[in-house]
Every structure is written in structure tokens, then in C-alpha cells.
Amino acid sequence: MTQTASPWAETLNDPLAHDVATVLKHMGGSAHQDIVVNCVAALKRQRGESVTQDLKAKIVEVFERYRDFFIKPFGENSLRWALAPGVA
């Protein structure tokens, strides 16, 4: 049996948060905020979804809303985000 669901699929019901977590997982667990935005935009385009101008703001909002899943490993002034320990 193949596992198709990510480990956070049941907890992160927000599709954008799920995309962010997926990108971070594929980036080794952490990445700069701008890289996450670009990769999520690419995922959306691959699925045929539109990418709006406010995508970056929405992703930053996701990072802040789901602080149990996403952390700033280099401090609050950093733009690097990571999956929280135990999430990946």
C-alpha cells in the first residue's frame, strides 16, 4: 500500500497551509519565505489554479496562523521558515 497523504494532511485542512508544508518538506524542512512563495505559486500553476497578486500575503498569514507547524529557526526577524520539530 502506498502512502499518498502527508503526515499533516489530517491536521492542516487549509489547502494553502498544506501546500506550504509540502514545499518546506521538499526543501529539506526549511526555506526562505520568498522561495516558499515561488514554489507554492509553481504548484498552483501546475494544477491549473490561478496565482493572485496577494499570494505572498496569504502565505505569510498561513505561516503566522499555524505557528504550531511553522517556526522561524533563526529568530523572529528572519524570513526563513521551517517545519516545527515533529511535524515533518
Side-chain angles (χ1 to χ4, degrees):
M1 181 174 144
T2 60
Q3 183 178 0
T4 56
S6 60
W8 53 81
E10 291 180 17
T11 311
L12 284 178
N13 294 324
D14 181 333
L16 187 55
H18 189 272
D19 284 349
V20 168
T22 299
V23 166
L24 287 174
K25 175 74 174 172
H26 287 298
M27 300 298 286
S30 71
H32 189 278
Q33 177 177 291
D34 290 343
I35 292 173
V36 174
V37 170
N38 290 336
C39 290
V40 168
L43 281 175
K44 291 173 88 46
R45 286 186 189 102
Q46 284 178 341
R47 294 190 300 246
E49 299 174 19
S50 63
V51 176
T52 58
Q53 293 286 22
D54 61 348
L55 180 62
K56 183 174 182 174
K58 287 180 178 180
I59 289 175
V60 170
E61 184 180 311
V62 161
F63 279 135
E64 295 297 339
R65 183 182 310 137
Y66 297 102
R67 289 304 289 256
D68 290 345
F69 290 91
F70 308 117
I71 62 169
K72 288 187 166 185
F74 298 123
E76 289 304 310
N77 292 328
S78 172
L79 292 177
R80 186 166 199 80
W81 286 92
L83 292 170
V87 172

